[in-house]
Amino acid sequence: MTEQAIATALACLIAHLLADFVFQTNAMVAAKRKPGVLLLHGAIVFGLTTLALGGSLIPAALLALAHIAIDALKTYAVPERQRDRLWPYLSDQIAHLITIVALVHYAPDAFASGIWADHSSALIPPALFIAGLVTATLAGGPAVGGLMLTHKAQAQPDGLENAGRMIGLLERALIFLMVMIGEPAGIGFLIAAKSILRFDTVKKNQKISEYVIIGTLASFGWALIAAFVTKAAMNSF
């Protein structure tokens, strides 16, 4: 794959990650059955992809249309009780990645025709870092949540609202940064600290204990995979 094709793929990937996990609010996700909300999300994808590609309108429009079609299929075809589980989430994200690969095959020089073309060599490493960070942190939340959804009702620990989500986000961010700076041993201290802080909660209830352990391992595993893949990709440039 040429450098320009890699730059095109990364630009589209970052636009997708930002559109799905930064600029898409929980309220938008909940209201996506409304055509206006779905189209608004598609418009955000189009705008971010156009910006990331440096002004290549046609590739950005094609990707936005594909994004809307995939999200519409998930929204209207998947039963509501299943929509937040792991398999619809992963299927949705894989489908988006396939459309990005298809676009790169169709228009590998989309980035080269934009205003950022002369800076591709300098932009690829930070783009890889940003893509990896968002994948490890924000994209990991729905994945872990979907995995734990069937156990949530019977083993959800009491605590602050959305505290578990924030803890997961922070721990995945710390794991990602530790791997990126070459200090993965620090992850052991993170595990120990979480175990100590959760000890009084989980020792009283086996279901809660198992819920926390499974969720923690899933969260750590997701972050570690994203971090090591990102580091390997950055080391290749």
Side-chain angles (χ1 to χ4, degrees), residues 146-159:
L147 176 66
M148 304 304 298
L149 186 63
T150 56
H151 309 294
K152 185 175 181 180
Q154 57 180 327
Q156 178 65 40
D158 295 329

Side-chain angles (χ1 to χ4, degrees), residues 182-206:
E183 295 292 342
I187 298 171
F189 292 100
L190 185 60
I191 295 174
K194 186 172 183 179
S195 300
I196 293 170
L197 292 172
R198 286 283 197 179
F199 180 73
D200 285 339
T201 300
V202 301
K203 72 176 181 178
K204 301 174 183 177
N205 189 309
Q206 182 177 348

Side-chain angles (χ1 to χ4, degrees), residues 10 55 88 103 106 174 214:
L10 272 175
L103 179 73
Y106 164 75
L174 288 172
I214 295 170

Side-chain angles (χ1 to χ4, degrees), residues 116-165:
W116 317 120
D118 294 338
H119 308 286
S120 60
S121 297
L123 290 174
I124 286 177
L128 283 169
F129 181 85
I130 293 170
L133 180 62
V134 175
T135 300
T137 56
L138 297 173
V144 176
L147 176 66
M148 304 304 298
L149 186 63
T150 56
H151 309 294
K152 185 175 181 180
Q154 57 180 327
Q156 178 65 40
D158 295 329
L160 298 174
E161 185 178 0
N162 293 322
R165 182 180 300 176

Side-chain angles (χ1 to χ4, degrees), residues 25-33 83:
T25 64
N26 291 333
M28 290 175 65
V29 173
K32 197 174 278 188
R33 291 186 67 87
R83 204 169 298 147

